[in-house]
Amino acid sequence: MHPLRRLFGYARPYRGDAWLATLYSVLNKIFDVLPEMLIGVAVDIVVNRRDSFMAKLGIADPLQQLVWLTGITIVVWLLESLFEYLYAVKWRRLAQDLQHELRQAAYGHVQALPPDFVTDARSGRLMAVMNEDVHQVERFLNTGANDLVQVFVSSLLVGGVFFVLTADLAALAFLPIPLILVGAFWFQKKLAPRYAAAREAAATVSNRLNNNLAGMATIQAYTAETFETEHVRRASDGYRARNADAIRFAAAITPVIRLAVLVGFVATLLYGGWKTLNGDLGVGTYSALVYLTQRLLWPLTRLADMTDLYQRAMASVNRVMDLLEAPLPPQPTGILPAPVRGAVDFEHVVVAYDDRHVLHGVSLQVPAGETHALVGGTGGGKTSLLKLLLGFVRPAGGRVRVDGTDVADIAPRELRRHIGYVAQDPFLTDGSIADNIAYGDSAPDAARIEAAARAAQAHGFIAALPAGYASEVGERGSRLSGGQRQRIAIARALYRDPAILVLDEATSAVDNETEAAIQTALREAARDRTTLVVAHRLSTVRHADAIHVMDAGRIVESGTHDALLARDGAYAALWRLQTGQAG
């Protein structure tokens, strides 16, 4: 489907505004063309006096004719200015409204997609779509749409006047237009893939910069500044080369169009002058036609800028629409039966990514109120089980139930509001500590915030900060240590008082002393709620009700810490590797 049709289809609620803006543009162009005709009338009055065109309308005195013409000119200019103001306001407001709507819709759509979509699509590319591409659409609506409307209307109006006054001269004046249009469409066809490639290259630059800014500490620690500067240079060179390829074509449009315009203008000048000298055409009419030839043909020189802007915008429209049309996962509407106990049951679940199986028929029951741990080497499938529970991925086979209800039938928001989730690399929003603990709560409770912080062993360091709970955490929590960020994330999970607590390496970034304190707090927090823990440090889960060892997408051992050590299997080998002890 053509990108313009895709945009019009999406912008259906704004069609009334678009039509009104178009009307203002048309009326402005009508009153913009009239002054050239009034110049011809003025010349006609001065040359023919009582035999002028206005004399035939009943105004015999030449001076009165000029007075009337002056009044008409003032009215025409005022109306032209009025409609220029109206179309500028309407088009720009439409551009602002639509870019706001597109950006909000694109971001909202991304939020409704699984988290893995952002990773697969590259966050830098998504940022380029939601910022640069949306802005490109706004630029087109700000100026390009009005230019296209006015060039079309101007051609119709001036062409109509030409054919009324002298058809043979009109034919000469219009002779270059087919060549101009064919050339413009040919350039458009050549420009479209070049601008699409340029937009992709711009997204690559954005992704590289975004990635490097996030990892600046690592870049500097490894003295990799020159290495990464070269990466950025290559990405920027790629964008520059693709943009230059498009610019070479875009820059050629104007000179070609100017040559075609010259042909039409010279034809009017010579042939119209010859007819006037022979008395076949009035002096006033000839003057008007010379001015109107410029009015007809000269705006076509802007086809270069219009084509350039149009093609950039259409490439951006396709990228934005492709994002908006990315298929959403099923959106069930079911709810969990109250009260939510938090019993979790994985029944023969299978998960595959690109035909690569990461879970092979795993079955696991976590009774309500118990703490179960998932341990094992990297790539064993532990995090995939958590993603299944959170509804981030759908099983290729089997089912996941919470309190006997299939997760596939539960609305994602309904499911997740009963789960407290702590990731290995916790996300903190750029706000205060209190904002982050009560994250997502429109009416935060200060007492609950402090209670959650105490439970997560975070109150001590928070109270020591100059602004306490009002202290800003910085972008992604940059003003806090890794352990402090982890404890804020744990406090955030506890603030929700969830029925199910999901901890994905929640103590990986804390020291031994802090870990011990957190473990004490978590044992209290886990009381009367289901807790599912992924851990590499086995010391953090030795008191769990059950520990499940995963390897290559399967559960190979299950039991308590003591029972697994007594079995002397995979868990016992991991324990000896980490502690050097037998039990």
Side-chain angles (χ1 to χ4, degrees):
M1 183 185 295
H2 192 277
L4 206 54
R5 290 187 64 185
R6 297 177 77 180
L7 181 62
F8 285 163
Y10 175 81
R12 192 178 300 274
Y14 297 96
R15 286 186 179 181
D17 290 333
W19 281 115
L20 192 55
T22 301
L23 176 62
Y24 291 152
S25 295
V26 170
L27 291 172
N28 168 259
K29 183 49 62 179
I30 291 172
F31 290 108
D32 183 48
V33 167
L34 283 177
E36 275 74 13
M37 299 179 64
L38 294 178
I39 290 172
V41 174
V43 172
D44 183 49
I45 291 172
V46 173
V47 172
N48 294 317
R49 302 185 179 231
R50 293 183 178 274
D51 293 325
S52 69
F53 170 75
M54 288 199 71
K56 295 174 183 177
L57 297 178
I59 308 171
D61 183 58
L63 185 58
Q64 286 188 359
Q65 294 176 30
L66 287 174
V67 171
W68 273 94
L69 183 63
T70 301
I72 293 170
T73 301
I74 292 171
V75 171
V76 166
W77 277 74
L78 288 174
L79 288 173
E80 179 198 355
S81 300
L82 171 65
F83 288 115
E84 182 173 2
Y85 169 77
L86 291 174
Y87 84 62
V89 169
K90 203 66 180 175
W91 279 119
R92 289 172 187 174
R93 184 175 295 167
L94 176 62
Q96 292 298 313
D97 289 346
L98 194 54
Q99 66 90 15
H100 172 76
E101 183 71 25
L102 280 172
R103 186 173 287 114
Q104 290 296 108
Y107 176 72
H109 194 77
V110 169
Q111 283 199 140
L113 291 163
D116 287 347
F117 176 87
V118 177
T119 303
D120 295 340
R122 298 184 306 168
S123 59
R125 184 181 186 280
L126 293 176
M127 287 177 64
V129 171
M130 289 185 279
N131 281 319
E132 296 171 27
D133 286 319
V134 169
H135 179 61
Q136 202 67 248
V137 176
E138 177 198 358
R139 284 187 60 206
F140 172 68
L141 290 174
N142 262 336
T143 57
N146 173 70
D147 287 346
L148 287 173
V149 170
Q150 293 208 328
V151 166
F152 177 73
V153 172
S154 177
S155 300
L156 286 181
L157 288 174
V158 176
V161 172
F162 261 85
F163 278 103
V164 168
L165 295 178
T166 169
D168 52 351
L169 188 57
L172 285 175
F174 270 77
L175 189 60
I177 292 182
L179 298 175
I180 292 171
L181 294 177
V182 168
F185 285 123
W186 183 84
F187 276 111
Q188 270 191 21
K189 187 176 179 181
K190 294 293 183 181
L191 276 172
R194 286 170 169 80
Y195 276 131
R199 297 306 309 142
E200 286 297 327
T204 299
V205 173
S206 178
N207 191 67
R208 171 61 63 182
L209 290 172
N210 183 58
N211 185 69
N212 284 12
L213 289 174
M216 190 58 66
T218 302
I219 291 171
Q220 294 177 356
Y222 281 84
T223 62
E225 293 91 342
T226 303
F227 180 75
E228 287 300 343
T229 298
E230 179 62 18
H231 275 161
V232 172
R233 186 195 65 78
R234 285 203 298 267
S236 186
D237 275 348
Y239 172 61
R240 182 173 62 176
R242 282 161 180 77
N243 221 19
D245 188 29
I247 288 170
R248 278 194 296 271
F249 269 80
I253 301 175
T254 297
V256 171
I257 292 176
R258 287 172 70 93
L259 291 174
V261 167
L262 178 63
V263 172
F265 182 72
V266 168
T268 303
L269 197 66
L270 288 176
Y271 184 64
W274 177 75
K275 291 191 69 171
T276 303
L277 291 173
N278 287 339
D280 297 329
L281 199 64
V283 175
T285 302
Y286 175 61
S287 302
L289 290 176
V290 170
Y291 282 113
L292 286 171
T293 302
Q294 286 187 312
R295 179 65 69 179
L296 171 67
L297 298 176
W298 204 250
L300 295 176
T301 61
R302 288 159 55 198
L303 276 176
D305 292 334
M306 283 187 281
T307 301
D308 183 74
L309 185 59
Y310 175 81
Q311 286 299 344
R312 287 179 183 269
M314 293 306 101
S316 292
V317 165
N318 274 332
R319 284 159 55 86
V320 175
M321 291 299 142
D322 286 346
L323 175 58
L324 287 172
E325 292 169 9
L328 293 172
Q331 298 294 313
T333 58
I335 62 173
L336 284 167
V340 178
R341 297 179 299 109
V344 178
D345 182 13
F346 298 92
E347 181 183 314
H348 304 298
V349 290
V350 176
V351 172
Y353 299 110
D354 298 325
D355 297 326
R356 180 178 62 86
H357 282 63
V358 295
L359 289 179
H360 303 271
V362 173
S363 293
L364 170 64
Q365 289 187 334
V366 185
E370 288 193 5
T371 297
H372 284 223
L374 303 172
V375 302
T378 301
K382 303 181 297 296
T383 298
S384 292
L385 275 179
L386 301 189
K387 288 181 178 179
L388 283 172
L389 175 59
L390 288 159
F392 290 160
V393 298
R394 298 286 176 177
R399 289 187 293 183
V400 183
R401 293 190 181 93
V402 173
D403 288 349
T405 303
D406 195 329
V407 165
D409 298 327
I410 306 170
R413 291 177 65 87
E414 161 70 12
L415 171 68
R416 293 165 193 163
R417 73 186 184 91
H418 296 291
I419 299 176
Y421 172 60
V422 181
Q424 182 175 355
D425 182 19
F427 165 77
L428 297 187
T429 188
D430 191 3
S432 70
I433 288 176
D435 292 336
N436 277 278
I437 294 176
Y439 186 61
D441 189 347
S442 57
D445 184 324
R448 282 177 58 201
I449 291 172
E450 183 175 330
R454 288 182 181 277
Q457 299 295 302
H459 177 75
F461 84 79
I462 296 172
L465 295 172
Y469 284 86
S471 300
E472 296 292 317
V473 303
E475 186 177 6
R476 297 186 65 87
S478 59
R479 296 182 183 177
L480 303 177
S481 70
Q484 289 171 337
R485 288 197 298 270
Q486 206 97 33
R487 281 178 279 173
I488 294 297
I490 293 170
R492 178 168 58 197
L494 298 179
Y495 176 85
R496 303 184 76 173
D497 191 23
I500 302 171
L501 192 59
V502 175
L503 308 172
D504 190 357
E505 287 293 333
T507 59
S508 62
V510 298
D511 54 46
N512 290 334
E513 182 180 351
T514 304
E515 178 191 343
I518 290 177
Q519 288 306 312
T520 301
L522 287 179
R523 279 198 295 273
E524 288 299 314
R527 187 173 297 170
D528 299 326
R529 62 165 52 92
T530 307
T531 306
L532 196 58
V533 185
V534 167
H536 284 103
R537 293 161 68 172
L538 302 184
S539 59
T540 64
V541 295
R542 62 182 298 174
H543 299 294
D545 293 297
I547 300 170
H548 308 278
V549 183
M550 297 195 68
D551 181 49
R554 293 179 173 85
I555 294 177
V556 295
E557 282 186 338
S558 293
T560 64
H561 171 76
D562 292 335
L564 289 173
L565 287 182
R567 186 178 298 175
D568 197 23
Y571 180 83
L574 286 173
W575 179 262
R576 286 194 295 270
L577 184 65
Q578 290 189 15
T579 67
Q581 302 174 12

